[in-house]
Amino acid sequence: MQSIDEVIIGRQGSAGLIRLNRPQALNSLTLPMIRAIAAALREFAADPSIASVIVRGEGDRAFCAGGDIRLLHESGKQGSSDAETFWREEFRLNHAIADYPKPYVALMDGITMGGGVGLSSHGSHRVVTERTRFAMPETGIGYFPDVGATWLLPRAPGEAGTWMGLTGLAINAADAIHARLADHCVASSDLSALIEAIGALPVAASPADVHTVIAGMAVAAGESRLVANRDTIDRALAYDTVGEIQEALAQEAGDFAAETRQIISTRSPTSLKLTLRLLRAGRSSTSLAECLNRELGACMRILYNPDFYEGVRAAVIDKDRNPKWSPASLAEVAASDIDRFFVPARPPLFET
């Protein structure tokens, strides 16, 4: 099986091993990486000597910090098809992970954001560590949670997923487990031993066998901020408009509500309204495929949204962290402005 420099493909006993190898870029995904991962998964699925697949990031800072935002930004500016190609292949990979026929073990050690969530939280066995910093930070760059997050986040307990999607703030291992985006916490120092133990399983190993190995090495995940503030989150973020959520947060006592309200006020108003509507649509959806199709349509429209270019400029290019959103307020974003994001992409990714 062939590796590329940015994705190292190998095996550990009966386990296929995929290593993201862009540590200097926090293992952010490029299109060649997506293609290499997809090809490896197909080959591992067809290989009778492979019982499971393990995905991890190289370096000690990140599992995967997301997708190639610069490529998407440049493609939109140039009017090329590169962004659409990237999204279509990335979303197909997300769906393939969710539907994978063998145990898929994601080791979410360090930063796990955006596209990294798509590579991990759709898997059958999701491992976090004490170093996990997990987020869908897209409202801060004029974008929205994609990679199937509009399927995952609405299925978190209460309104935890709404809080994550709107604020974009990072959560820890205990939070990710609470939000049903991860399963077990294993010490980062034990990950190599975990890989060896999974690889030592027989070829006939079942998903339950992999679960037993991981559970046997799991440790307490610590305290969850989402659990500690669940009542506030569930009360204030249950509304279906961002304005009502902000008003409800203003009525809540305590620093958590004040911080949440302040953070939301700094995000792109268009992205906030789009994100909330996508999350509510995802809540009533019947499949991941349906959500990915909807997300792709929104992606194609995001290329015409000035906030996307301004957000990427402020966060990635100039790094001044001072985006100027247009429109600048929630009140200026009309319902018809959000309706445009719900035009289906053609052809759809999946027939549903």
Side-chain angles (χ1 to χ4, degrees):
M1 190 172 296
Q2 186 174 1
S3 301
I4 62 173
D5 288 345
E6 295 176 340
V7 180
I8 301 170
I9 310 298
R11 63 183 297 160
Q12 173 74 43
S14 66
L17 189 58
I18 299 173
R19 294 154 53 200
L20 310 182
N21 189 37
R22 290 186 76 207
Q24 75 286 355
L26 302 178
N27 296 318
S28 295
L29 292 170
T30 64
L31 183 57
M33 291 173 72
I34 289 169
R35 289 173 171 169
I37 295 166
L41 289 179
R42 288 192 295 270
E43 291 192 40
F44 285 143
D47 187 339
S49 71
I50 294 293
S52 62
V53 174
I54 302 171
V55 185
R56 73 175 307 180
E58 291 297 289
D60 58 6
R61 297 178 62 199
F63 168 68
C64 174
D68 192 343
I69 293 295
R70 284 182 181 269
L71 176 144
L72 302 176
H73 179 274
E74 292 168 6
S75 174
K77 286 277 192 181
Q78 297 165 3
S80 76
S81 62
D82 291 348
E84 180 175 2
T85 299
F86 182 92
W87 281 318
R88 283 184 176 275
E89 297 198 28
E90 182 183 30
F91 291 3
R92 287 194 189 100
L93 175 59
N94 300 146
H95 192 270
I97 291 167
D99 203 35
Y100 202 62
K102 296 181 180 182
Y104 178 100
V105 183
L107 304 182
M108 301 146 71
D109 186 32
I111 295 169
T112 303
M113 297 183 179
V117 173
L119 275 187
S120 55
S121 288
H122 293 298
S124 59
H125 299 72
R126 295 92 48 95
V127 177
V128 285
T129 77
E130 78 282 358
R131 302 193 298 196
T132 297
R133 301 300 294 162
F134 186 108
M136 295 300 296
E138 288 80 7
T139 57
I141 59 166
Y143 192 53
F144 64 90
D146 63 346
V147 297
T150 63
W151 171 257
L152 293 169
L153 294 180
R155 282 154 185 82
E159 298 296 338
T162 308
W163 182 89
M164 288 184 62
L166 293 183
T167 68
L169 292 175
I171 61 174
N172 66 12
D175 293 324
I177 292 171
H178 167 70
R180 301 173 186 159
L181 298 163
D183 304 302
H184 290 97
C185 184
V186 173
S188 58
S189 58
D190 288 339
L191 292 181
S192 294
L194 177 62
I195 292 171
E196 290 183 12
I198 294 172
L201 289 170
V203 171
S206 68
D209 295 326
V210 175
H211 172 87
T212 298
V213 169
I214 298 171
M217 298 185 68
V219 297
E223 296 183 0
S224 165
R225 190 182 187 204
L226 295 182
V227 171
N229 294 282
R230 179 169 182 175
D231 289 346
T232 297
I233 291 171
D234 290 354
R235 276 194 305 266
L237 282 92
Y239 297 92
D240 291 334
T241 71
V242 182
E244 287 175 301
I245 288 172
Q246 288 291 71
E247 290 175 10
L249 285 166
Q251 301 303 313
E252 293 284 340
D255 292 342
F256 179 84
E259 179 196 8
T260 297
R261 189 170 189 270
Q262 190 277 326
I263 289 293
I264 289 175
S265 72
T266 69
R267 304 317 195 199
S268 159
T270 301
S271 290
L272 289 169
K273 287 196 171 185
L274 173 60
T275 294
L276 185 60
R277 186 162 159 188
L278 285 167
L279 292 176
R280 295 301 186 249
R283 179 173 287 172
S284 60
S285 295
T286 58
S287 69
L288 170 61
E290 182 183 340
C291 290
L292 288 169
N293 277 343
R294 188 183 297 118
E295 289 175 12
L296 181 61
C299 286
M300 300 314 299
R301 187 66 197 177
I302 210 81
L303 296 175
Y304 299 94
N305 177 27
D307 277 5
F308 174 61
Y309 299 98
E310 173 63 7
V312 174
R313 179 205 65 75
V316 179
I317 298 174
D318 297 339
K319 298 182 179 179
D320 59 25
R321 308 292 178 184
N322 188 31
K324 305 298 184 185
W325 305 124
S326 178
S329 70
L330 291 169
E332 294 174 271
V333 182
S336 59
D337 295 330
I338 304 304
D339 291 341
R340 300 188 187 105
F341 289 93
F342 286 80
V343 176
R346 294 289 181 238
L349 278 168
F350 308 101
E351 296 298 331
T352 58

